[in-house]
Amino acid sequence: MSSVSPYAIYVQLAALERLWTKGKKDLSSSQKLLSLGLMGVELSARLIDNLLADQRAASRIERKIHFTLQGIARQLRLLATLQKHSRVPRVDTPPKSIVFSNLINLQHLPKGYENLLAEIELAYNELEIALQGALGLRDFVPHAKTGFFQNGIEFEYEKAVDPEYLSTLRPVSPFGPEDELFMTVHQVCECWFEIASLNFEYMEHCIQVNDMDQATQLLENNAEIFAYLGHHNLILEYMVMADYHPLRVALRGASGGQTQRIRILYGQSKSLFGHYEAQLAASGKNLIAILDRPAEFVYDYQFLDALSSWEREFVGFFFLHYKLLGKVISTASIGSIGVEVNQLVSRFTAPLFPSLDQARFDLVIQTNYRYSNIAGQVLKEMEEPPRPLNPAKLPTKVMADRIDAYFAAINELDEQSWLNLMDENIGYIEDPIGTRVYQGKSELSAFFKSFKKTFRSVNIQVQKLDLQEAKAIAHWEAYGESYNHKWVRFKGIEHFYFDAAGKMLAVEVDWDPREVEHQLK
C-alpha cells in the first residue's frame, strides 16, 4: 500500500506541491507567498464554469457561486495584506501580457453578480496598490480595465502560478456532480496552509533576532488566513447531500483530516511559542508580568495578543469543520479516519498554549485579590441593598457549634456542608466588608467554588470567639496551599448573624485580601 495518504492522492497534492516548487528556487519569500495565494485564486475561479454547468434543480448554484466569488475577493485582500509586509520588488517596465487565467470564467457569469464582481475588482485594486505595480490580470477581471500602475513587478505570472496547469488538476473521472467542488475546496486550503507554514518559518527567525513587531504581524496574517479558510469550507454545506453520499462512500479512506499541513502548523505553533518562552526566561521576563503590565512590555504584549488571535482562528477552523461535518454526516458518525465526529470537540476546547492560558488564570486570581475592595461595586451602587437583618438570639453553644461547623467545612473544602449552614434564600456573605454580597444559594455556591479554585488546602484556626446575644465575632488565622503550590498566611475577623432555626443570615468578613495576592506571586 502507498505511503501517500488517500486524501493526498485524491486532491492531487503531489502535483500541487510540484507546482509550488518547480522553477521557484530563485523566487523571494514574498514572491512565493504571492504565487501560492494566486494559485488559490485560480483554483477558485476554475470552479465557476463547473458551477454554471450544473443543471440540477436541487443544487443551490447561486449560493455556491456567491460563496466562490466572496472567496476570490477575500483571497485577493489577504494577498494585499501579506504584500504590505513582504513586498515583491517592482520594475519600471509594463507587466508581461498574460495569455490565460481561470479568472476569465468571471466573464461567463450571468447578470445578478455585479456587486460581487465589483468586490473582486476592488480587492484586485488593493492588491496592485500593495504591490506598487500592475500584476497583469486586468483583462480577466470584469470592470478592471483601467489600472493605477504602468509598471509591473518582478513576477512572471504564468511561470509562477501556471494557471493553465491548475485548470487541469480536476477529478480524473468525476464521481458525481459534487466531486469537483469537494476537491477544489481542499486544494485551495492546501495552498493557504502552505502560506501559513512559510510564515511560521519566518516567525522563528523573527524570534531569534528579537523582531517581535514582524513576528506579531505574521501571526495576525496567519489568523486572517484561517478566518478565511473556516468560512471557505462552509460552501460544502450547500452540496446536495443525496449526490455527495455516493462520492463520500467511493472516497472511503480519504479525509481532509489526513492533511499533514494542519499537523505541521500545530507543531510550528508549539515550537514558536516554546522558543519565545525560552527567550523570555533568558531575559528575565515572564508571561504574567507582560499581561499585567502591557505598557512596560509593549512588543511582547502585542505578540501575545496576536498569539491569541491565531489560536482563536486556528481552533475556530476546527469548530466550523466540526459543525460542517455535523450537517454533512451527523455528529454521531465515524469519519473516514476512524474518529467519531463528536470527538473532534477536544480539538477546539483544549488551549493551544497551556502555559499562556495558565498565566491568564494566574493573573485573574491575583487581580481578584488585588482589587477585592471594589468587588461588585458597579452593581452594588445600582441594586437595592440587602434587607435589614433581624437576627435571632441563640444559645451561645448553638452559635459556637455552627461556627465550628462553618470553619470545618472550609478547611475540608466541603461546599455542600458549608451551604447547608446558610439560609438558602436570603443568607449572604460580604467578603470583604464593603463589597457586593453573595446572596442566595446559587451565588453562595459560586463564592465557595471560587475559593476552591484558589486553594488546594487550607487550615483556618479561630484564635478568639466573642459570643453575644444575637451576634458572634470570630478572630481567625489561616495557612493554606494555593492552586499554584504557594503557601500563604492571612488573618481576619468574621461577624455572624443567625435566624431562629440556627441558619446563618449573614457573614461579614473583615480582612485584607491583598495579603494573599502578594504571596501568590
Side-chain angles (χ1 to χ4, degrees), residues 108-221:
H108 303 160
L109 289 165
K111 290 184 177 179
Y113 296 102
E114 289 81 5
N115 289 341
L116 289 165
L117 290 173
E119 247 187 78
I120 290 173
E121 179 197 355
L122 287 172
Y124 182 74
N125 290 342
E126 287 179 26
L127 176 56
E128 288 201 338
I129 290 170
L131 291 166
Q132 288 293 295
L135 190 55
L137 283 171
R138 287 191 170 272
D139 288 341
F140 301 96
V141 179
H143 315 301
K145 299 298 183 185
T146 57
F148 299 101
F149 301 97
Q150 298 303 313
N151 64 290
I153 57 172
E154 285 187 9
F155 190 76
E156 294 183 48
Y157 190 90
E158 286 171 321
K159 181 179 178 182
V161 181
D162 204 344
E164 196 161 2
Y165 180 65
L166 285 171
S167 70
T168 68
L169 295 185
R170 311 173 106 127
V172 179
S173 301
F175 199 94
E178 302 295 0
D179 197 353
E180 183 161 345
L181 171 65
F182 193 72
M183 173 186 284
T184 303
V185 164
H186 289 88
Q187 289 174 330
V188 172
C189 279
E190 291 294 332
C191 291
W192 285 96
F193 288 162
E194 182 67 4
I195 290 175
S197 184
L198 290 172
N199 279 345
F200 268 115
E201 288 179 11
Y202 189 60
M203 275 183 255
E204 288 280 5
H205 167 74
C206 292
I207 294 295
Q208 289 173 9
V209 299
N210 201 30
D211 187 353
M212 301 309 299
D213 192 39
Q214 180 71 356
T216 296
Q217 188 55 60
L218 291 170
L219 264 178
E220 293 287 6
N221 290 348

Side-chain angles (χ1 to χ4, degrees), residues 219-220 223 273 291 301-316 352-353 356-357 360:
L219 264 178
E220 293 287 6
F273 187 63
L291 294 172
Y301 182 81
Q302 290 175 343
F303 178 73
L304 294 181
D305 198 48
L307 271 174
S308 299
S309 298
W310 162 247
E311 180 177 24
R312 180 189 66 242
E313 300 303 343
F314 186 61
V315 173
L352 186 57
F353 308 112
L356 179 56
D357 187 66
R360 292 192 186 105

Side-chain angles (χ1 to χ4, degrees), residues 289-351:
I290 293 166
L291 294 172
D292 195 24
R293 304 195 299 277
E296 187 178 333
F297 306 103
V298 173
Y299 291 111
D300 288 293
Y301 182 81
Q302 290 175 343
F303 178 73
L304 294 181
D305 198 48
L307 271 174
S308 299
S309 298
W310 162 247
E311 180 177 24
R312 180 189 66 242
E313 300 303 343
F314 186 61
V315 173
F317 174 84
F318 289 114
F319 174 74
L320 290 173
H321 188 61
Y322 163 75
K323 296 302 290 183
L324 172 65
L325 287 175
K327 180 173 181 180
V328 173
I329 62 175
S330 95
T331 57
S333 294
I334 302 292
S336 299
I337 56 174
V339 176
E340 189 172 309
V341 172
N342 271 329
Q343 292 181 16
L344 293 173
V345 172
S346 64
R347 295 189 179 183
F348 53 83
T349 54

